[in-house]
């Protein structure tokens, strides 16, 4: 549903022009929206919230998990990057269930066999060359790109989302610092005015190796189209942000469950929420901040449930002052449609259930290091942060912002500027990453994990991998499925004890940067020129120091194959006791290498594949 | 057997003297440690991190040797029988299976060498025809020491320090620990623990790439080895293929040349690591100077099946012919031509 156009905190949708309604068709259904919507945001606003089913469980539609769409004669495109276009007729790509019975809000896709986007295998249509490629248009990326462009470098900044600013607004302003809105607007304006800088939004960098990066951009001038561009960059700065982890409990990808960061952006950018009532489950103070804003924007917050016991935070105080119901020391236990159950973290006491249109959940933050690993970077599990963090350094690739582990707005901006300098061998300012006032506040808890259950999947992450917690008693766990694991999947697996912490980095690198698709190859080995007539090393001293070459035959026809062992006529046929071996083919019989002691014999046994054969020395 | 994972109890036991401290997180090291402790009544410390099942395997644990020397095959087939009996006694029948393995030789020299391999293997009961070896024993899963007399500690807890004479000394949690013999039974550990200038001249650190593909067309045999292309393939039940490629040159081209398609074929996981081969193709078993470390390497994918033999050699209780075989593999022997074998790998 849509929030009111004038909802508090701009939760009416800052991307929308409500004066320009539009409609398009998707799979035959008519979807209404506004100029500024993406296909995805319009679908969600219209109540289509289900991508399809996986293991007979409905899976929600969201920015990190949505089928590709196409128009007649067009190319497949991601619906979260395609603008809603009046009159367009889209088709979602993928295998679908033909009969719709129970969920009119579903795209009805069968998700067990989800295909990769075709652009991962496409050849670039264009190559651009720059001094610096910045991946990510959040605060760190903008600051880095602006600093490098100001220093005279040619810069290309690629941002996957349709807008700049990253996730900074979710966290809000800190103390007297410049607000995220002002900071990102200022940086984007500065960068846009620099002639040596290019900004591409709706542009996802999906491959990085050496100096070459590949990006897929959705072009919106005219009918939406997708192109792959190769970027040759002397340096690459990764400001790819962090992914909010999904609390692990059965039903955690029901269409009615949404992560706090997705709920925030949908409301802030597009005025979309998944219903008029919400429960908020959090392990962080920012869950309260979001709940307060949604409450102010008109969403009825049933309660805020926190894993922490009696947390202290200014946001907690504001929530109390606003009359919101708070519960501490509880975690989400299960979700079934619009019924959500919570259990005490202490293990003592009964679980309680509540109904609401949606459950907004919070987990920890996993730096997005997929491209870092593709570039050859390594990662390590860091228990203190409950996350896989970058380890070591690369010569031409640097990290900045939350991808590099920074947490504060100031730290992210400064790390962007610092990385833009150090990556070109210049000195950089000191980075201050203190979060003002946080010493007075209860720190975040790790991502909540509910006990295992046997029926409904509990997914590790909200992305495409669909890795789920092993079902108790199952012989082969779903965690071992053949699919690409995300970093969040690996982090969840570590916390569940499925992956040893010491192995986590290696597994993340294995699964997170597997390389591109393999193409057919006609490679064939080339024989090396023979340099010697001497027996190969593996025959050295095998039949004494002075073996003889003998031509052995049994009759005028039969041939002995190379490798066949030669024994004396009366002795044990144990390979260790062999007198010799056939080393070369001959028109009849074979050429044997025979121990000196055997050269005086005139009768042999050759142990062929068909059984022992008598043999004698052929004398010309 | 996840080993008696060491916390308080093990720290108490740490004060005792170990007969053997074994570095290695692979099946071979685990089996050697377990057999030394249980069959030879030795005090054994295994230094290894647990291996997560999601991690790509670094080898195939296959009872197939690229070896022409009869002695090697004799020892291997003895080891296969013993390993099978061991798994049966542990009620772990599922840990072993048998699988047909096709070795696809491209070059004439390789075809000739393969014929010698097949003849030696045939002499000890390993049947083959036209490069297809039938009924080859294979370890199905990583070996983990469950309830065991072996004390296991994580890799981070142990380091080696070298005395003025160059002898290696085991240090656990900062404390020197008395050990009768330090054994390195894992290639990764060998390359990490033994400085290059102390490694035997026969040792070659070979780059390896492990890749898991998406489900592919069915291979002619579930395990395919391409010695001239430096590629080993193992097809899993879901038709995905685990590929191990040796060497650095044109890894993708060589790998793809062995795959059945359909192309383009997605890679699901890739890893890079190093393994040890030897310049003469023969196993390398013995103490090295000046560290006095005992190294067990060069046994290829078949290493796990040599564990019973190695345990007997280490416990100084060798069986028939084993002492001589192990002595011949000693890196300090002035001449190893008599055991030189096949040297295959990256093309």
């Amino acid at each position: 549903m849509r929030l009111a156009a004038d909802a508090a905190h701009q939760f009416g949708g800052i991307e929308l022009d409500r004066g320009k309604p539009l409609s398009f068709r998707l799979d035959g259904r008519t979807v209404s929206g506004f100029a500024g919507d993406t296909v995805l945001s319009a679908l969600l606003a219209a109540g289509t919230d289900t991508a399809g089913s996986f293991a007979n469980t409905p899976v929600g539609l969201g920015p990190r998990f949505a089928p590709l769409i196409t128009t007649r004669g067009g190319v497949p495109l991601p619906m979260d990057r395609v603008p809603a276009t009046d009159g367009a007729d889209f088709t979602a790509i993928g295998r679908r269930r033909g009969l719709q019975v129970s969920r009119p809000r579903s795209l009805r896709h069968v998700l067990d066999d989800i295909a990769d986007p075709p652009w991962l295998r496409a050849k670039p249509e264009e190559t651009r060359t720059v001094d610096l490629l910045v991946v990510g248009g959040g605060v760190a990326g903008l600051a880095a790109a602006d600093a490098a462009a100001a220093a005279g470098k040619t810069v290309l900044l690629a941002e996957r989302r349709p807008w700049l600013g990253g996730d900074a607004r979710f966290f809000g302003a800190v103390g007297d610092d410049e607000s995220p809105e002002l900071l990102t607007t200022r940086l984007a304006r500065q960068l846009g005015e620099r002639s040596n800088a290019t900004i591409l939004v709706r542009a996802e960098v999906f491959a990085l190796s050496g100096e070459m990066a590949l990006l897929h951009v959705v072009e919106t001038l005219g009918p939406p189209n997708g192109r792959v561009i190769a970027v040759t960059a002397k340096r690459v700065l990764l400001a790819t942000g962090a992914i909010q982890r999904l609390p692990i409990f059965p039903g955690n990808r029901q269409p009615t469950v949404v992560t706090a960061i997705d709920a925030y952006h949908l409301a802030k950018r597009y005025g979309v929420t998944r219903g008029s009532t919400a429960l908020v489950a959090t392990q962080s103070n920012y869950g309260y901040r979001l709940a307060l804003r949604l409450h102010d924007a008109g969403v009825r917050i049933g309660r805020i449930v926190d894993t922490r016991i009696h947390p202290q935070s200014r946001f907690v105080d504001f929530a109390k002052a606003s009359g919101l119901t708070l519960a501490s020391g509880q975690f989400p236990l299960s979700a079934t449609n619009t019924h959500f159950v919570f259990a005490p973290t202490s293990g003592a006491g009964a679980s309680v259930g509540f109904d609401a249109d949606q459950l907004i959940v919070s987990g920890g933050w996993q730096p997005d290091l997929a491209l870092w690993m593709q570039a050859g970077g390594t990662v390590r599990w860091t228990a203190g942060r409950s996350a896989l963090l970058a380890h070591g350094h690369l010569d031409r690739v640097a990290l900045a912002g939350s991808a590099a582990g920074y947490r504060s707005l100031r730290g992210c901006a400064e790390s962007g500027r610092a990385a833009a300098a150090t990556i070109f061998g210049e000195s950089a300012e000191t980075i201050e990453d203190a979060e003002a006032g946080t010493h007075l506040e209860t720190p975040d808890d790790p991502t909540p994990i509910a006990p295992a259950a046997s029926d409904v999947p509990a997914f590790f992450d909200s992305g495409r991998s669909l890795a789920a917690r092993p079902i108790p008693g199952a012989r082969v766990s779903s965690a071992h499925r053949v699919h690409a694991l995300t970093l969040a999947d690996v982090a969840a697996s570590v916390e569940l004890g499925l992956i040893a912490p010491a192995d986590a980095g290696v597994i993340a690198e294995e699964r997170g940067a597997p390389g591109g698709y393999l193409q057919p190859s006609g490679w064939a080995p080339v024989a090396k020129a023979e340099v010697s007539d001497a027996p190969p090393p593996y025959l050295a001293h095998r039949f004494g120091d002075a073996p003889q070459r003998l031509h052995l035959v049994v009759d005028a026809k039969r041939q002995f194959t190379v490798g066949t062992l030669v024994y004396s006529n009366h002795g044990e046929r144990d390979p260790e006791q062999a007198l010799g071996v056939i080393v070369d083919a001959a028109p009849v019989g074979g050429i044997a290498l025979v121990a000196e002691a055997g050269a005086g014999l005139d009768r042999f046994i050759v142990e062929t594949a068909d059984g022992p054969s008598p043999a004698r020395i052929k004398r010309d | 057997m996840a080993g008696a994972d060491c916390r308080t109890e093990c720290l108490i036991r740490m004060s005792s003297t170990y007969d053997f401290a074994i570095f290695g997180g692979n099946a071979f090291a685990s089996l050697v440690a377990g057999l030394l402790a249980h069959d030879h009544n030795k005090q054994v410390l295994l230094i290894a991190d647990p291996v997560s099942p999601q991690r790509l395997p670094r080898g195939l644990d296959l009872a197939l040797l690229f070896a022409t020397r009869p002695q090697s095959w004799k020892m291997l087939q003895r080891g296969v029988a013993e390993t099978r009996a061991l798994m049966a006694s542990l009620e772990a029948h599922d840990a072993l299976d048998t699988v047909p393995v096709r070795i696809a030789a491209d070059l004439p020299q390789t075809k000739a060498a393969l014929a010698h391999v097949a003849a030696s293997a045939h002499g000890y009961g390993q049947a083959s025809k036209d490069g297809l070896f039938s009924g080859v024993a294979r370890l199905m899963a990583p070996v983990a020491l469950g309830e065991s007399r072996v004390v296991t500690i994580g890799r981070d807890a142990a380091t080696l320090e070298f005395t003025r004479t160059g002898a290696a000394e085991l240090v656990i949690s900062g404390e020197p620990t008395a050990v009768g013999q330090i054994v390195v039974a894992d290639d990764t550990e060998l390359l990490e623990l033994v400085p290059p200038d102390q490694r035997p001249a026969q040792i070659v650190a070979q780059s390896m790439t492990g890749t898991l593909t998406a489900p592919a067309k069915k291979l002619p045999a579930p395990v395919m080895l391409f010695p001239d292309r430096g590629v080993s393939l193992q097809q899993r039940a879901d038709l995905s293929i685990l590929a191990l490629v040796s060497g650095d040159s044109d890894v993708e081209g060589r790998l793809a040349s062995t795959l059945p398609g359909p192309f383009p074929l997605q890679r699901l996981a890739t890893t890079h690591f190093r393994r040890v081969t030897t310049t003469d193709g023969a196993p390398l078993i013995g103490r090295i100077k000046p560290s006095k470390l005992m190294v067990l390497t060069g046994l290829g994918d078949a290493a796990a099946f040599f564990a019973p033999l190695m345990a007997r050699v280490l416990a100084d209780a060798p069986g028939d012919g084993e002492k001589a075989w192990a002595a011949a593999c000693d890196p300090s022997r002035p001449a190893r031509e008599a055991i030189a074998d096949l040297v295959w790998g990256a093309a």
Side-chain angles (χ1 to χ4, degrees):
Chain A
M1 61 170 272
R2 290 285 184 193
L3 293 163
D6 60 350
H9 310 292
Q10 298 178 303
F11 272 19
I14 59 177
E15 302 293 330
L16 301 185
D17 183 346
R18 300 257 188 164
K20 293 182 180 173
L22 54 78
S23 69
F24 59 87
R25 289 169 65 82
L26 179 80
D27 295 342
R29 74 183 75 183
T30 300
V31 181
S32 299
F34 299 100
D37 260 323
T38 63
V39 170
L40 177 64
S41 68
L43 266 181
L44 291 170
T48 301
D49 59 7
T50 307
S53 60
F54 178 82
N56 296 318
T57 301
V59 175
L61 196 60
R64 294 190 61 217
F65 190 75
L68 303 174
I69 53 172
T70 186
T71 54
R72 183 184 292 272
V75 296
L77 295 169
M79 64 168 70
D80 62 321
R81 290 193 276 144
V82 175
T85 309
D86 195 33
D89 190 357
F90 296 109
T91 302
I93 297 171
R95 197 155 58 93
R96 268 170 285 173
R97 297 198 191 285
L99 184 64
Q100 178 150 309
V101 177
S102 59
R103 286 199 74 82
R105 301 155 68 125
S106 176
L107 294 175
R108 310 194 316 277
H109 280 255
V110 178
L111 306 174
D112 303 51
D113 186 22
I114 193 164
D116 272 338
W119 58 82
L120 301 185
R121 305 186 294 276
K123 291 188 174 155
E125 298 175 33
E126 175 190 346
T127 299
R128 299 191 189 185
T129 302
V130 291
D131 293 324
L132 178 67
L133 169 65
V134 177
V135 185
V139 167
L142 285 167
D146 185 54
K153 304 289 192 288
T154 54
V155 177
L156 173 64
L157 183 146
E159 166 56 48
R160 182 179 57 81
R161 292 161 163 165
W163 31 269
L164 298 170
D167 293 332
R169 290 183 176 194
F170 173 76
F171 299 98
V174 177
D176 296 330
D177 283 355
E178 191 176 16
S179 74
E181 287 89 340
L182 291 176
L183 179 59
T184 54
T185 303
R186 178 172 62 79
L187 288 171
R189 189 186 66 246
Q190 285 175 199
L191 189 61
E193 290 170 352
R194 298 191 190 282
S195 59
N196 53 338
T198 303
I199 301 172
L200 289 179
V201 293
R202 306 176 198 267
E204 179 180 34
V205 177
F206 61 88
L208 177 60
S209 178
E211 292 188 347
M212 178 74 77
L214 295 175
L215 66 84
H216 174 260
V217 61
V218 175
E219 297 179 324
T220 58
L221 290 175
N225 186 32
R227 286 204 311 145
V228 172
I229 298 174
V231 181
T232 303
K234 291 177 185 168
R235 301 286 187 274
V236 179
L237 196 147
L238 301 174
T240 40
I243 295 161
Q244 186 167 40
R245 298 264 311 279
L246 186 65
I248 300 169
F249 59 90
N252 62 352
R253 286 186 66 170
Q254 293 272 337
T256 49
V257 178
V258 58
T259 59
I261 191 66
D262 285 352
Y264 174 81
H265 285 310
L266 283 169
K268 184 80 173 184
R269 296 285 162 182
Y270 306 109
V272 172
T273 183
R274 301 201 182 208
S276 60
T277 62
L279 300 168
V280 175
T282 189
Q283 39 60 263
S284 157
N285 299 327
Y286 294 103
Y288 293 84
R289 182 176 187 271
L290 174 63
L292 280 163
R293 274 159 171 68
L294 287 169
H295 168 72
D296 294 344
V299 177
R300 194 171 72 77
I301 304 298
R303 63 178 49 212
I304 305 173
V305 178
D306 197 323
T307 56
R308 301 168 300 174
I309 296 172
H310 306 310
Q312 302 295 311
S313 163
R314 60 194 186 281
F315 299 124
V316 176
D317 295 338
F318 295 152
K320 284 178 185 168
S322 298
L324 298 182
T325 301
L326 311 184
S328 72
Q330 295 184 15
F331 63 90
L333 185 66
S334 66
T336 310
N337 296 325
T338 54
H339 186 67
F340 308 103
V341 180
F342 302 89
T345 54
S346 65
S351 57
V352 287
F354 303 96
D355 292 319
D357 292 334
Q358 61 186 313
L359 172 65
I360 297 170
V361 295
S362 293
W365 296 88
Q366 169 57 54
D368 186 351
L369 299 168
L371 289 173
W372 169 256
M373 294 188 298
Q374 275 196 31
T378 58
V379 297
R380 295 285 182 274
W381 175 254
T382 307
R385 295 280 293 267
S386 296
L388 290 142
L389 301 184
H391 181 77
H393 77 281
L394 297 172
D395 286 342
R396 292 194 300 267
V397 180
L399 291 162
S402 51
Y406 292 98
R407 295 199 255 208
S408 69
L409 181 68
R410 176 181 292 188
C412 287
E414 290 180 354
S415 77
R417 285 192 288 272
T422 55
I423 199 171
F424 287 105
E426 294 156 13
S427 59
E429 61 185 293
T430 306
I431 302 166
E432 186 183 336
D433 192 31
E435 293 178 276
T438 50
H439 62 288
L440 300 173
E441 306 208 331
T442 306
D444 294 358
D445 256 4
T447 302
I449 298 176
S454 59
D455 44 2
V456 179
F459 293 97
F460 291 163
D461 183 29
S462 48
R464 297 180 63 251
S465 71
L466 294 170
R469 184 175 195 167
I471 292 179
R475 182 175 166 79
V476 178
S477 75
S478 54
H480 301 173
R481 283 164 50 87
V482 176
H483 53 200
L485 293 177
T486 65
L487 282 165
D489 290 328
V490 176
S493 299
V494 172
E495 290 174 336
L496 285 165
L498 301 170
I499 289 178
D503 271 352
V506 174
I507 290 170
E509 289 154 25
E510 288 178 356
R511 303 279 172 166
Y517 283 67
L518 290 163
Q519 303 293 339
S521 164
W523 193 96
V526 177
K528 292 174 186 160
E530 291 285 354
V531 294
S532 169
D533 289 334
Y538 56 79
L539 291 176
H541 302 287
R542 183 160 159 199
F543 303 104
D545 295 335
Q548 309 289 305
R549 283 173 68 87
L550 303 177
H551 188 173
L552 301 185
V553 294
V554 59
D555 53 30
K557 291 182 181 175
R558 189 159 183 186
Q559 290 179 302
F560 297 134
T561 56
V562 171
T564 308
L565 294 174
V566 178
Y567 295 94
S568 69
N569 197 22
H570 44 271
E572 188 183 358
R573 286 205 291 280
D574 175 338
E576 278 191 294
Q577 308 303 322
L579 278 179
V581 65
I582 302 294
V583 291
D584 281 317
V588 290
I591 308 300
L593 196 66
V594 177
E596 193 175 15
L601 302 175
D602 58 357
R603 289 287 184 270
F604 299 89
I605 296 293
V606 177
E607 188 69 35
T608 74
D610 299 325
S613 166
R616 58 181 169 77
I617 298 172
K618 183 175 188 292
R619 303 187 191 279
D620 296 322
Chain B
M1 355 198 216
D5 192 12
C6 228
R7 295 292 178 265
T8 310
E9 179 194 349
C10 297
L11 289 172
I12 294 168
R13 292 175 64 183
M14 206 69 81
S15 60
S16 62
T17 301
Y18 291 100
D19 298 311
F20 294 96
I22 300 177
F23 282 89
N26 54 18
F28 175 51
S30 295
L31 284 170
V32 170
L35 290 164
L36 277 171
H38 290 266
D39 288 8
H40 302 284
N41 204 27
K42 300 295 183 185
Q43 298 291 319
V44 182
L45 175 68
L46 180 64
I47 301 160
D49 287 323
V51 177
S52 304
Q54 290 92 340
R55 195 166 158 171
L56 285 187
R58 265 59 170 167
L60 300 182
D61 287 328
L62 203 62
L64 189 63
L65 276 174
F66 279 162
T68 64
R69 303 271 175 181
Q71 294 86 347
S72 300
W73 276 98
K74 183 179 181 179
M75 299 300 157
L76 174 64
Q77 292 308 92
R78 185 185 293 174
V80 169
E82 289 179 301
T83 305
R84 186 168 279 128
L86 172 68
M87 294 303 169
S89 71
L90 297 173
E91 298 182 352
H93 303 273
D94 291 352
L96 271 184
D97 74 346
T98 57
V99 66
V101 178
R102 178 172 291 285
I103 304 179
D106 294 289
L107 304 177
Q109 308 95 305
T110 309
K111 288 177 179 168
L114 182 57
H116 288 281
V117 171
S120 283
H122 176 73
Y124 294 102
Q126 173 59 64
S128 69
K129 186 175 183 186
D130 300 331
L132 181 66
F133 290 71
S134 55
V136 178
R138 173 175 65 171
L139 270 182
M140 291 291 287
V143 173
L145 302 171
E147 291 299 318
S148 162
R149 289 186 209 148
V150 177
V151 175
T152 303
I153 63 168
R155 182 60 186 83
D156 286 346
T159 56
L160 285 186
E161 290 187 357
F162 295 91
T163 65
R164 200 174 296 173
T165 63
E169 189 175 66
L170 183 66
V171 177
I172 297 175
S173 302
E175 295 292 322
T177 303
V179 174
Q181 178 63 60
I182 302 171
V183 180
V184 184
D186 181 301
D187 288 357
T188 304
E189 294 290 2
L190 194 159
L191 296 174
E192 187 169 320
L193 292 170
V194 183
D197 60 349
Q198 289 189 25
R199 291 176 198 158
Q202 301 93 338
I203 277 184
V204 178
Q206 188 171 49
S207 299
M208 296 292 298
T209 301
T211 295
L212 180 67
T213 76
K217 291 179 184 171
K218 200 164 183 181
L219 289 170
V223 178
M224 300 276 295
L225 310 178
F226 298 84
D228 293 319
R229 298 168 194 245
V231 178
S232 303
L233 306 179
Q234 176 175 287
Q235 192 154 38
R236 300 181 171 195
D238 62 2
L239 298 182
S240 63
I241 294 175
L242 171 69
L244 300 172
V245 186
S246 58
D248 290 318
S249 67
D250 200 2
V251 171
E252 282 190 24
R254 286 188 286 128
L255 168 57
S257 75
T258 65
L259 291 170
F263 293 104
L265 185 59
Q266 186 185 10
R267 280 182 278 192
L268 299 173
T270 295
T271 190
H272 303 283
F273 61 99
R274 291 189 299 169
R275 77 174 177 194
V276 171
T277 57
T278 58
T279 53
D280 55 16
L284 201 144
I285 297 156
R287 281 185 171 200
I288 56 173
K289 294 175 181 175
S291 63
K292 299 180 182 172
L293 293 170
M294 168 72 81
V295 298
L296 313 177
T297 190
L299 293 162
D301 286 332
F305 296 94
F306 282 87
L309 183 160
M310 287 300 156
R312 282 192 292 273
V313 169
L314 289 171
D316 202 18
D320 176 36
E322 292 173 350
K323 189 171 186 176
W325 182 80
C329 297
D330 194 303
S332 64
R333 266 180 98 92
R336 286 170 37 112
E337 290 90 349
I339 59 168
D341 220 310
L342 298 174
V343 182
W344 287 340

